[in-house]
C-alpha cells in the first residue's frame, strides 16, 4: 500500500522534526503549514530560521533578521537589495535576499529539494547555504538601515558644492 502525497509529506516532516528535537533544536511548530521557526545566532547577531515544506519534493528556508529595518530606510534598502539580487553573479538561482516590509526585516530565502537522505543531509546543506548567504550581507544591511544624513548649511560663499555628512 502506498501513502498518499499528503501522508508522505506529513511523515517526512515529522521524521525531520524528530531528528531536530534529538539534536536539541528548540522549535516553534506549525504542523498545519508543515513549518517551523527556530532561533539562530553567531558571534555578531541573532536571527530566526523559518522552514516550510511545500510538498514532498521541495521546501523553503528563510533566515530573517530580529533587528528591524527602520521606516525611513525601508524603501531605499529594498531597492538596493533588489539590485544586488539582479547583479549577483555568485547566486545559485535558488537563494535571494529580500526586505519584508510587513515585518521590517531582512531575509535570505533559499528554495531546496527534499532528498532521500536518511541523515537529512539535504536539509542541513540547505540551512548551511541559507545562513551563509544571510550572514554575507546582514551586517551591511543592518548598518545601512541606521544611517542618517545631515547636510551642512549650503551657501555659495562657503562651499562650491554641497557637503554631505554621514552619521553612523
Amino acid at each position: 500500500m502506498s501513502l498518499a502525497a499528503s501522508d508522505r509529506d506529513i511523515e517526512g516532516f515529522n521524521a525531520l522534526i524528530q531528528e531536530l528535537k534529538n539534536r536539541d533544536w528548540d522549535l516553534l511548530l506549525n504542523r498545519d503549514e508543515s513549518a517551523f521557526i527556530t532561533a539562530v545566532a553567531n558571534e555578531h547577531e541573532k536571527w530566526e530560521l523559518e522552514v516550510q515544506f511545500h510538498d514532498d519534493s521541495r521546501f523553503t528556508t528563510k533566515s530573517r533578521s530580529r533587528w528591524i529595518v527602520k521606516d525611513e530606510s525601508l524603501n531605499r534598502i529594498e531597492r538596493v537589495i533588489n539590485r544586488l539580487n539582479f547583479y549577483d553573479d555568485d547566486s545559485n538561482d535558488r537563494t535571494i535576499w529580500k526586505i519584508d516590509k510587513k515585518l521590517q526585516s531582512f531575509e535570505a530565502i533559499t528554495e531546496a529539494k527534499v532528498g532521500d537522505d536518511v541523515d537529512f543531509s539535504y536539509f542541513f546543506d540547505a540551512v548551511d547555504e541559507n545562513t551563509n548567504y544571510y550572514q554575507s550581507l546582514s551586517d551591511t544591511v543592518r548598518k545601512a538601515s541606521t544611517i542618517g544624513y545631515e547636510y551642512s548649511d549650503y551657501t555659495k560663499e562657503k562651499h562650491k558644492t554641497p557637503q554631505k555628512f554621514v552619521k553612523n
Side-chain angles (χ1 to χ4, degrees), residues 6-167:
S6 60
D7 292 338
R8 275 197 317 270
D9 296 349
I10 293 168
E11 190 175 279
F13 179 74
N14 287 338
L16 175 63
I17 294 304
Q18 188 57 52
E19 176 66 21
L20 296 177
K21 285 182 177 182
N22 291 343
R23 294 178 182 221
D24 294 325
W25 283 42
D26 186 20
L27 305 172
L28 176 62
L29 292 173
N30 182 340
R31 290 192 186 275
D32 294 337
E33 297 290 326
S34 296
F36 65 85
I37 296 175
T38 189
V40 182
N42 66 15
E43 59 275 4
H44 303 291
E45 72 172 302
K46 295 177 183 178
W47 68 95
E48 295 175 349
L49 179 71
E50 178 184 323
V51 178
Q52 180 169 13
F53 285 76
H54 303 289
D55 53 39
D56 65 343
S57 64
R58 64 186 184 86
F59 65 99
T60 301
T61 305
K62 285 184 189 178
S63 286
R64 178 184 305 120
S65 65
R66 286 190 169 183
W67 45 268
I68 64 166
V69 179
K70 294 183 177 180
D71 285 334
E72 59 271 11
S73 60
L74 204 56
N75 290 330
R76 174 175 39 99
I77 299 293
E78 182 181 44
R79 284 191 307 272
V80 171
I81 295 295
N82 289 339
R83 285 186 201 131
L84 286 170
N85 282 325
F86 184 76
Y87 292 109
D88 183 14
D89 291 334
D90 296 329
S91 174
N92 56 16
D93 295 327
R94 296 182 324 138
T95 303
I96 62 165
W97 291 300
K98 179 184 172 211
I99 295 295
D100 184 316
K101 285 187 170 184
K102 180 180 174 187
L103 298 174
Q104 291 183 273
S105 63
F106 167 65
E107 298 179 343
I109 304 169
T110 305
E111 290 282 333
K113 293 183 179 178
V114 174
D116 292 331
D117 313 341
V118 177
D119 63 353
F120 300 101
S121 60
Y122 71 89
F123 171 78
F124 294 107
D125 289 346
V127 167
D128 185 54
E129 176 184 325
N130 178 268
T131 56
N132 286 335
Y133 213 72
Y134 172 83
Q135 290 177 76
S136 70
L137 199 58
S138 66
D139 284 344
T140 303
V141 172
R142 184 175 61 249
K143 290 173 185 171
S145 71
T146 62
I147 292 176
Y149 291 96
E150 274 185 28
Y151 293 92
S152 64
D153 292 333
Y154 175 71
T155 61
K156 289 184 180 181
E157 298 82 39
K158 290 183 180 177
H159 306 286
K160 293 185 179 188
T161 59
Q163 304 295 308
K164 179 170 58 172
F165 301 98
V166 178
K167 266 203 270 187

